Amino acid sequence: MLKFWKKKPAETPSEPSAAPTPADSPTSHSSNPALHEALVEVAPPAQPPARTEPLPIAPDFAHVAGTIAAEEPPTKRSWRDRLSGNAFSRGLTSLFVRHPKLDDDLLDELETTLITADVGVEASTELVENLRKRMHKREFADAPALLKALRESLIAMLRPIEKPLDIAGRKPFVVLTVGINGAGKTTTIGKLARRWSDEKRAVILAAGDTFRAAAVNQLKTWGERNQVPVISQGQDADSASVIFDALQAARSRGADVLIADTAGRLHTQGGLMDELGKIARVLKKIDADAPHEVLMVIDGTTGQNAVNQVRQFRQIVGVTGLVVTKLDGTAKGGVIFALAREFGLPIRFVGLGETATDLRTFDAEAFVDGLLPANLGSDRGHD
């Protein structure tokens, strides 16, 4: 006997509920008397962006660090591996290979090598003359002993500026990044966002570089990659207004860190430098101590010109810390010694490559060991 099965009626799928997506854009100026008063000196953009939704209040940041784009962590290479192509490292290695004998000729060439590597004339002369006096007193038995003394002297020059950035104690901790075009500023911001997100900190980025067309999109790309919110108003918006709004957003959302980008300003452009000073003044309308860190990003390949850049930026916005990028490759790493002697500003981080883990907390001993010939360096690769 044949049996016929009745087909079950298909279930009607329920329509998905469309959950409203909160806007990242901050509260409008018209509804915020404090912002209106604070930005009296800030000229609004010619075409202000439309804002139709209120600022979301205190969203949960617990997911930020856990939802970093899944990617295989790259192998962390040692400082020596990263600095081996540095002009300073190559020059010192070549010098001691060509002059294994301890004499005045070796010291003369050492002085030339240091000056060529942008350590600076005064610092190089002082360093070598001190070594020469010790050599004549027969404190060194051979060239390796001299190299060891050189290592100790170089580390001593950098110890005072070995001060890691501590972002605890302020919420949000406001980092204002400055520097000229091409120094690696936006990339550094992205790497800092990744670092602090990995530390389970809630980070917000402010796209304050509204002068360059690609800068806002570049920062948004870093934000998407690291699952970090980016506050922006588009190209040609007023930079001070963007960063002010971002600080309000960071406060209302309970963020731990706000990293603000700024236009890559040439130190010869007085008007742009004045605008940078205005950003700092406007931030103080909300937090009298903001920005808590003015982090200047310097291209390690620019040599002695970096000293002039730091001098100009310090006068305008009060730089409190440095990041020296692009020290791998052909950079003249001696500029770090020149900066240490001239300003004594803490070097917070150094860039030793392209990946996020190549932005290292500055370590004076590891840095010097990476520059010197391998028979003395400890070849440390820690962060």
Side-chain angles (χ1 to χ4, degrees):
M1 181 176 179
L2 299 174
K3 293 184 180 181
F4 295 89
W5 297 88
K6 294 180 66 177
K7 186 179 181 181
K8 287 187 178 182
E11 294 182 0
T12 304
S14 58
E15 294 185 4
S17 58
T21 302
D24 275 342
S25 57
T27 311
S28 65
H29 296 182
S30 60
S31 63
N32 192 329
L35 175 57
H36 176 74
E37 179 182 356
L39 293 179
V40 169
E41 63 173 334
V42 178
Q47 295 182 346
R51 298 180 179 180
T52 57
E53 298 184 21
L55 174 69
I57 303 300
D60 182 13
F61 271 101
H63 70 287
V64 171
T67 55
I68 298 298
E71 58 184 50
E72 193 70 22
T75 302
K76 194 170 184 180
R77 297 171 61 188
S78 70
W79 288 70
R80 182 177 308 287
D81 288 341
R82 287 304 191 188
L83 293 170
S84 60
N86 186 289
F88 192 176
S89 176
R90 288 186 286 108
L92 286 176
T93 301
S94 173
L95 170 63
F96 281 91
V97 169
R98 289 183 290 106
H99 289 277
K101 183 181 177 181
L102 180 60
D103 56 22
D104 283 313
D105 290 339
L106 172 60
L107 288 174
D108 290 341
E109 285 215 30
L110 173 60
E111 183 175 6
T112 301
T113 299
L114 295 174
I115 294 173
T116 304
D118 289 322
V119 173
V121 175
E122 292 183 3
S124 300
T125 301
E126 179 180 328
L127 183 62
V128 171
E129 288 307 311
N130 179 264
L131 292 174
R132 195 186 304 276
K133 291 177 182 177
R134 296 176 63 185
M135 182 186 73
H136 291 161
K137 292 179 181 179
R138 300 188 180 280
E139 292 185 25
F140 312 131
D142 49 26
L146 172 66
L147 185 57
K148 183 177 180 180
L150 173 63
R151 174 184 181 272
E152 294 170 352
S153 298
L154 292 174
I155 292 174
M157 290 178 67
L158 299 182
R159 282 291 190 204
I161 62 171
E162 184 188 58
K163 298 176 182 177
L165 179 59
D166 182 9
I167 61 175
R170 306 276 187 174
K171 190 171 181 177
F173 189 95
V174 181
V175 179
L176 184 66
T177 56
V178 300
I180 68 168
N181 287 321
K185 183 162 45 62
T186 306
T187 299
T188 297
I189 292 173
K191 291 178 179 180
L192 287 173
R194 173 61 181 272
R195 166 187 288 267
W196 287 327
S197 293
D198 286 347
E199 294 175 359
K200 314 297 188 204
R201 301 181 189 272
V203 181
I204 285 182
L205 306 181
D209 185 355
T210 58
F211 183 75
R212 188 164 56 93
V216 174
N217 289 335
Q218 185 182 0
L219 198 66
K220 285 182 177 179
T221 298
W222 275 105
E224 292 171 1
R225 184 182 304 172
N226 298 322
Q227 295 294 304
V228 171
V230 178
I231 305 298
S232 66
Q233 295 180 11
Q235 187 182 359
D236 297 328
D238 185 85
S239 182
S241 174
V242 174
I243 297 174
F244 186 97
D245 284 352
L247 179 53
Q248 283 194 317
R251 286 164 64 92
S252 66
R253 300 180 190 192
D256 297 305
V257 189
L258 169 65
I259 313 175
D261 194 8
T262 60
R265 301 161 206 280
L266 296 173
H267 56 280
T268 56
Q269 295 177 299
L272 291 176
M273 295 296 280
D274 290 343
E275 184 181 284
L276 189 59
K278 182 176 67 176
I279 292 172
R281 294 195 302 273
V282 167
L283 285 174
K284 294 183 185 302
K285 301 292 184 178
I286 296 181
D287 185 341
D289 295 326
H292 306 114
E293 175 81 0
V294 179
L295 200 58
M296 182 171 178
V297 181
I298 297 170
D299 183 344
T301 66
T302 57
Q304 286 294 308
N305 191 38
V307 175
N308 296 328
Q309 294 171 21
V310 174
R311 187 177 294 115
Q312 293 290 334
F313 275 88
R314 283 189 76 193
Q315 293 175 358
I316 297 297
V317 75
V319 176
T320 56
L322 303 176
V323 179
V324 184
T325 64
K326 308 179 186 179
L327 287 175
D328 57 319
T330 59
K332 296 181 178 180
V335 70
I336 287 185
F337 299 94
L339 292 169
R341 180 183 174 86
E342 179 80 14
F343 304 108
L345 286 170
I347 294 183
R348 308 297 194 183
F349 303 96
V350 291
L352 303 180
E354 297 297 327
T355 68
T357 58
D358 287 326
L359 183 69
R360 310 282 180 93
T361 300
F362 181 65
D363 182 326
E365 187 172 344
F367 178 74
V368 171
D369 285 344
L371 295 176
L372 294 176
N375 62 322
L376 271 182
S378 59
D379 200 19
R380 294 157 59 185
H382 63 277
D383 185 50

